[in-house]
Amino acid sequence: MKLKANIIGSGFSALAASCYLAQSGYDVTIFEKNPTIGGRARQLKKDGFTFDIGPTWYWMPDVFERFFADFDKKPSDFYTLEKLNPAYSVYFGKNDYVTIEDTLDKIAIAFEKEEPGSSKQLYKFISEAKSNYKIAIKDLVYNPGVSPLELITPATIKKLNQFFSTIKKDVRKEFKNERLVKILEFPVLFLGAKPSDTPSFYNFMNYADFGLGTFHPKKGMYQVILALEKLALKLGVKIKTQNPIDKIIVDNGKAIGVMSNGKTYLSDIVVSGADYHHSETLLDKAHRQYSEGYWERKTFAPSSLLFYVGFNKKLKNVNHHTLFFDVDFDTHAEAIYDHPKWPENPLFYASFPSITDQNAAPDGKEAGIFLIPLAPGLKDTPELREEYFNKIITRFENLTSQTVENDIIFKESFCVNDFIKDYNSYKGNAYGMANTLLQTAFLRPKLKSKKVKNLFFTGQLTVPGPGVPPSLISGKLVADLITKHHPVLV
């Protein structure tokens, strides 16, 4: 008789874990609280427009390839990828922007225009970033965060000093032009922390950006979720939507199942891909590993105020991904990490998938996604959302030299309250726990419960960290831990 595994949630990490466990012979059932699967990576469809609600960047394609290869598949078996050119553009003022194209050589030319001589430093910087990327992928991110010894390899020992310096120091040591500095510090935002708090080693994200490039799956990021679902179902995974978990059932110190909609589902293993903090509230206090004080002390990645906007015309002077860095980065960062409050002049990001993908909007129209990073836990009201939409749309019109406000067909918003309501997200965070030095690898919340046998966790609050590729890896790590140790026999 097969061992049973109940998995809470259906985001990237939970779906990945379900595939690996089913492949290993487990009888797997996924429980999802929402009507559709995908966790933070769901879709919004309205009036012929299609939006990715969550992640919109497809980076580190090798991680996706490695995942599907574990099942003798390729991404192309499920969806079509297009490498974006340009990858993105960054606005610094009215009609004043830097375009990041699809190869390092083209990017070097753009750097030279900004700062003569900087291309030489760029090649050197990205070479180091590439070296770190190889070490990260080979030696670090596929480790389960069980022991500090996982960080100690011949390759990482040579890089030890990079764990005690920061991205901000290293970038500014090599580049003096503030615009180039901002562009090189930008990928760190995916790790959920300030460049001044992120270890230098994480410059491997710059290689992911400039070296590997930015991609778009045709019909959007949700195609990756649908690919995982298709694979999971083929492997025999059962998926129950609209099944929120009321309780993780523990008997004699061992997880024996879950309760959903008042019904008990027994299993040999329980894995939670839901928010880690919320998952522990599904346990009696005696069975929780981490106190409220523990979570309170941690550095969380930002929340976000998002707008999904249907425009009645095609927009100009923007790319598929467009960043607006026309205000002070450090002041906004302080409002997220140091003195949490609504930022007076926020940086923001905009995505226009319909520039690349005709499936995103009706002919002659544009789909726009706008994102403002915010501190988690802020007060969230309709009035504040409207105030900040007006702020950024006014700046957007000015910076890109076009009027758009009268061409808005509709706008939907998503913010702190929605992250809490839809995902049980701690303080409404959007990206999980930041990858700071003291929240790296074995210092993150554990994949395996220390207090309850046969209870496991996966996702962006545990190892390896925030982002879509790390979430796929997290699913693999927890499945490996389960199958390796046969915890049902412990």
Side-chain angles (χ1 to χ4, degrees), residues 303-307 342 370-372 374 385 388 413-415:
S303 184
S304 298
L305 170 55
L306 290 136
F307 295 99
W342 282 83
F370 295 82
L371 181 153
I372 301 172
L374 296 174
R385 296 187 190 197
Y388 276 78
S413 64
F414 199 95
C415 196

Side-chain angles (χ1 to χ4, degrees), residues 292-308:
E292 284 298 318
Y294 170 89
W295 298 110
E296 203 55 57
R297 290 190 298 271
K298 293 300 170 184
T299 301
F300 273 80
S303 184
S304 298
L305 170 55
L306 290 136
F307 295 99
Y308 310 97

Side-chain angles (χ1 to χ4, degrees), residues 391-449:
K391 278 191 179 192
I392 63 171
I393 211 71
T394 300
R395 270 174 46 210
F396 176 81
E397 289 183 323
N398 178 54
L399 293 166
T400 63
S401 294
Q402 62 188 318
T403 58
V404 299
E405 199 163 3
N406 294 331
D407 296 289
I408 293 172
I409 304 168
F410 65 83
K411 73 173 186 293
E412 301 281 346
S413 64
F414 199 95
C415 196
V416 172
N417 293 346
D418 301 297
F419 282 102
I420 294 169
K421 177 174 68 73
D422 287 4
Y423 311 131
N424 295 307
S425 170
Y426 181 71
K427 291 188 175 180
N429 79 82
Y431 305 109
M433 191 181 284
N435 263 336
T436 60
L437 178 61
L438 296 178
Q439 294 180 175
T440 292
F442 68 97
L443 295 171
R444 296 180 73 80
K446 302 299 182 188
L447 290 166
K448 185 178 189 299
S449 172

Side-chain angles (χ1 to χ4, degrees), residues 24 46 70 74 77 82 118 122 154 171 243 265 312 365-366 376 453 476 479 483:
S24 298
K46 183 168 181 173
D70 285 343
K74 304 185 295 294
D77 293 329
E82 178 179 348
S118 63
L122 178 66
V171 168
N243 267 260
Y265 297 87
N312 201 23
K365 296 178 172 58
E366 205 86 89
K453 289 181 180 178
K476 175 179 173 59
T483 54

